[in-house]
């Protein structure tokens, strides 16, 4: 998702960040039990034809051909786009570090080059850093349910921004995502059934073999943590070093492997609503403790700033400011909490503009990285194809309003946002044919390092604790800080030091280690 998150704004997220065996008859049939993914039969190791992504680019690009169905390695193949930045100090090179930047739906060939400077310097010096667009995503063989970009834009423009407010908008939202599912079912139903986390973990194993590494070095953030945990349990003897940053609890992702209809969504099981509310409250607290020169939205104290925010949300319900409705503002607020610098400062300025009745200036995005296709199509259906087919969510759209109200009671506005982020899965037409739902405690060749951030607006610290407990051999490193992922916030020298030491020579931090950020937001 980014980490798992709303299925909106995929193209924006790529620029900024980064943030079951059943066919399509699932639309009318009850859900069946999940299939257990198994390591792939002997598939041909893909040849990686590395060449500069662009003339003069420091990045190399390649395309790997992998089986659509790992159980049928001689059948249809699909393309996986791969990117590499070679080690800055070849004489001291440790090996290849594979990175998944989150999602589901994060295009690694764009996001990793875009955020390359966020990696600790020692990792950039000592490893070839390799990423890829997971199957179904971006520059790989991608899920695309529209005939043209214009058709996709027309569909997106017909539904509410952020989440629906009121019965009319709820109907419009549900109908729009039901239509999306129908479109996708017609285009490539076989691909929809083979973009699971287990499928991608098996692709990763082929990529490891393709670069000649005897064991895997891996850094996964957000959704990349569930991908890493899946790989670690499918190929436990192949784990050399694995960092899981901003975690999804595997039992929440799989609904504890229950065959029954889930009572709530993936994101609510994870606790995304509660952690977003806690992070927003911390944002308002720190903002209110700062001057307006440092936080434009400050009202002079934490209590006054929280009251100011509540008043603004009430006002926007009745009087939007240009395109900034109440729901769009809540969605933008949660998304802006992901990256502390400059995200929190920019968020404060935007809220202050709205408070004063001004339409905020559009955001400025960083320039595209020097790769072959820096702006691939990233329609909402790509994230949905992975998430909805892989992780159980309620199949009845009518239950989501009740879930929203329950979540709003404990998490306020953020609860409404995170609840409706899962509703597109209610009418998604496919379930994964190759799905892994546990066990999660297979002993790995080497221990795993799990990093959890205390104020994370998407993946709560409690999920990192759960991940560390469910894996067979893992050490939890606490980032007593802010934002989604320690990697992309790059705000703690302490975290970077422990992470680099572990990946380079396998040294784990002492049990119970907690790191502090180098400086507080708005300081």
């Amino acid at each position: 998702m980014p980490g798992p998150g709303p299925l909106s704004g995929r193209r924006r997220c790529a620029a900024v960040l980064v943030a079951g065996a059943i066919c399509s008859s699932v639309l009318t049939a009850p859900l069946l039990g999940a299939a257990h993914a198994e390591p792939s039969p002997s598939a041909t190791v893909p040849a990686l034809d590395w060449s500069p992504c662009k003339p003069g680019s420091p990045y190399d690009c390649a395309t790997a051909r992998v089986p659509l169905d790992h159980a049928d390695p001689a059948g249809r193949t699909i393309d996986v786009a791969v990117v590499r930045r070679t080690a800055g100090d070849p004489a001291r090179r440790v090996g290849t570090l594979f990175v998944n930047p989150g999602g589901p739906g994060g295009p690694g060939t764009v996001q990793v080059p875009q955020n390359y400077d966020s990696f600790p310097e020692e990792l950039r010096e000592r490893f070839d850093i390799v990423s890829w667009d997971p199957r179904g995503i971006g520059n790989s063989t991608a899920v695309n349910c529209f005939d043209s970009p214009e058709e996709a834009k027309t569909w997106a423009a017909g539904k509410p921004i952020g989440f629906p407010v009121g019965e009319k908008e709820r109907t419009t939202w549900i109908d729009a995502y039901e239509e999306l599912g129908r479109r996708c079912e017609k285009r490539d139903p076989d691909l929809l059934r083979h973009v699971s986390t287990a499928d991608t973990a098996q692709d990763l194993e082929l990529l490891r073999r393709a670069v000649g590494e005897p064991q895997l070095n891996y850094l996964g953030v957000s959704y990349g943590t569930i991908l890493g945990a899946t790989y670690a349990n499918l190929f436990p003897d192949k784990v050399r070093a694995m960092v899981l940053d901003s975690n999804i609890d595997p039992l929440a992702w799989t609904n504890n492997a229950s065959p029954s209809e889930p009572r709530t969504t993936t994101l609510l099981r994870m606790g995304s609503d509660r952690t977003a509310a806690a992070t927003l409250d911390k944002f308002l607290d720190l903002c209110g403790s700062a001057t307006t020169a440092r936080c434009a939205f400050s009202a002079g104290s934490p209590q006054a700033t929280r009251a100011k925010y509540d008043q603004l949300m009430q006002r926007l319900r009745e009087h939007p400011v240009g395109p900034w409705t109440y729901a769009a503002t809540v969605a933008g607020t949660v998304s802006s909490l992901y990256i502390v610098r400059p995200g929190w400062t920019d968020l404060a300025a935007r809220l202050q503009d709205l408070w004063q009745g001004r339409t905020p200036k559009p955001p400025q995005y960083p320039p595209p990285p020097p790769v072959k296709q820096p702006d691939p199509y990233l329609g909402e259906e790509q994230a949905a194809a992975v998430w909805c087919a892989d992780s159980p969510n309620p199949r009845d759209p009518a239950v989501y309003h009740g879930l929203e109200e329950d979540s709003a009671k404990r998490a306020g506005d953020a609860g409404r946002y995170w609840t409706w982020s899962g509703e597109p899965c209610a009418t998604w037409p496919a379930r994964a044919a190759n799905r892994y739902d546990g066990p999660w405690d297979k002993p790995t060749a080497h221990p795993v390092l799990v990093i959890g951030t205390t104020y994370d607006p998407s993946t709560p610290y409690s999920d990192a604790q759960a991940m560390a407990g469910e894996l067979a051999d893992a050490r939890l490193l606490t980032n007593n800080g802010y934002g989604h992922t320690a990697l992309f916030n790059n705000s703690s020298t302490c975290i970077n030091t422990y992470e680099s030491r572990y990946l380079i020579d396998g040294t784990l931090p002492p049990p119970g280690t907690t790191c502090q950020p180098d400086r507080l937001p708005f300081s």
Side-chain angles (χ1 to χ4, degrees):
M1 319 174 86
L7 303 182
S8 59
R10 307 300 306 174
R11 187 176 302 272
R12 179 183 65 186
C13 290
V16 176
L17 290 178
V18 229
I22 297 138
C23 65
S24 57
S25 63
V26 75
L27 279 172
T28 55
L31 293 180
L32 305 178
H36 283 273
E38 297 294 340
S40 175
S42 181
T44 302
V45 176
L48 297 176
D49 52 340
W50 295 113
S51 62
C53 296
K54 286 186 173 181
S57 173
Y59 299 97
D60 298 321
C61 287
T63 300
R65 295 196 68 81
V66 300
L68 172 68
D69 182 354
H70 282 279
D72 181 19
R76 174 184 169 186
T77 61
I78 57 175
D79 290 341
V80 172
V82 191
V83 71
R84 175 182 69 181
R85 178 77 174 255
T86 56
D89 186 352
R92 299 170 63 233
R93 178 182 177 275
V94 174
T96 299
L97 174 63
F98 285 93
V99 179
N100 180 276
T109 64
V110 179
Q111 290 183 343
V112 169
Q114 189 84 67
N115 295 281
Y116 179 75
D117 289 342
S118 296
F119 290 84
E121 182 178 4
E122 194 157 15
L123 297 184
R124 288 181 273 141
E125 292 294 305
R126 304 291 297 276
F127 286 93
D128 294 348
I129 293 180
V130 171
S131 190
W132 74 106
D133 293 1
R135 54 173 58 213
I137 308 301
N139 292 307
S140 294
T141 298
V143 174
N144 183 345
C145 304
F146 297 94
D147 292 329
S148 67
E150 292 71 28
E151 190 175 76
K153 289 178 183 177
T154 299
W155 172 82
K159 63 183 181 59
I161 297 174
F163 55 87
V165 178
E167 184 176 356
K168 182 178 179 181
E169 286 195 358
R170 288 194 291 272
T171 299
T172 300
W173 176 285
I174 291 167
D175 289 349
Y177 283 105
E178 188 172 9
E179 179 193 350
L180 181 65
R182 287 196 301 269
R183 286 176 176 271
C184 294
E185 187 181 20
K186 292 177 181 177
R187 294 292 289 256
D188 193 343
D190 288 341
L191 182 61
L192 295 189
R193 296 177 61 241
H194 291 285
V195 291
S196 72
T197 304
D199 290 321
T200 294
Q202 291 170 315
D203 292 344
L204 177 56
E205 171 61 6
L206 291 179
L207 293 176
R208 177 196 66 80
R209 295 166 63 189
V211 301
E213 290 288 351
Q215 291 181 309
L216 180 75
N217 303 298
Y218 177 80
L219 171 54
V221 304
S222 195
Y223 167 76
T225 65
I226 201 71
L227 173 60
T230 300
Y231 179 97
N233 284 277
L234 287 177
F235 306 99
D237 61 322
K238 299 303 183 185
V239 175
R240 176 194 173 271
M242 178 173 286
V243 175
L244 306 180
D245 174 2
S246 293
N247 288 255
I248 298 171
D249 177 0
L251 299 186
W253 180 260
T254 61
N255 194 33
N256 209 9
S258 171
S260 60
E261 173 79 3
R263 299 174 66 181
T264 190
T265 73
T266 308
L267 293 159
L268 299 184
R269 288 194 300 268
M270 287 168 52
S272 295
D273 54 346
R274 287 186 173 94
T275 195
T279 306
L280 174 59
D281 195 57
K282 196 66 175 177
F283 163 84
L284 296 169
D285 189 356
L286 292 171
C287 179
S289 299
T291 65
T292 53
R294 294 194 177 275
C295 181
F297 194 64
S298 176
S301 72
Q303 183 177 5
T305 305
R306 285 193 290 271
K308 181 179 177 181
Y309 177 83
D310 292 340
Q311 291 172 34
L312 175 60
M313 293 304 108
Q314 282 297 118
R315 185 195 302 170
L316 289 171
R317 283 178 176 268
E318 302 296 330
H319 304 289
V321 178
W324 290 93
T325 62
Y326 157 70
T329 303
V330 171
T333 296
V334 175
S335 297
S336 296
L337 293 172
Y338 276 46
I339 304 298
V340 174
R341 293 182 178 84
W344 285 29
T345 301
D346 292 348
L347 171 60
R350 182 166 70 247
L351 292 175
Q352 184 63 15
D353 281 340
L354 293 171
W355 177 257
Q356 295 178 335
R358 297 192 301 261
T359 300
K361 296 178 182 178
Q364 293 186 341
Y365 299 127
V371 296
K372 194 176 298 182
Q373 298 290 341
D375 189 25
Y377 176 71
L378 296 171
E380 297 185 31
E381 63 268 36
Q382 294 182 8
V386 179
W387 177 12
C388 300
D390 206 48
S391 181
N393 286 272
R395 301 291 297 177
D396 180 3
V399 307
Y400 282 80
H401 180 46
L403 293 174
E404 172 195 6
E405 293 304 320
D406 289 344
S407 181
K409 290 175 184 176
R410 62 179 176 260
D413 299 325
R416 302 185 188 281
Y417 169 79
W418 281 121
T419 300
W420 284 98
S421 294
E423 193 283 329
C425 293
T427 49
W428 189 252
R431 294 308 298 268
N434 180 31
R435 194 168 142 222
Y436 188 78
D437 60 9
W440 301 99
D441 59 354
K442 293 184 181 178
T444 47
H446 296 93
V448 175
L449 179 61
V450 173
I451 301 174
T453 299
T454 50
Y455 290 99
D456 180 326
S458 177
T459 53
Y461 178 68
S462 58
D463 279 35
Q465 293 174 305
M467 177 70 85
E470 287 154 20
L471 296 176
D473 187 5
R475 178 67 51 83
L476 176 62
L477 175 61
T478 299
N479 177 32
N480 189 25
Y482 313 92
H484 185 50
T485 83
L487 174 66
F488 289 143
N489 278 283
N490 194 20
S491 60
S492 173
T493 302
C494 172
I495 291 286
N496 289 348
T497 299
Y498 281 121
E499 182 178 71
S500 299
R501 188 179 303 163
Y502 163 76
L503 285 166
I504 289 167
D505 61 26
T507 302
L508 288 166
T513 299
T514 296
C515 288
Q516 305 296 333
D518 294 343
R519 60 191 177 106
L520 292 175
F522 309 123
S523 62

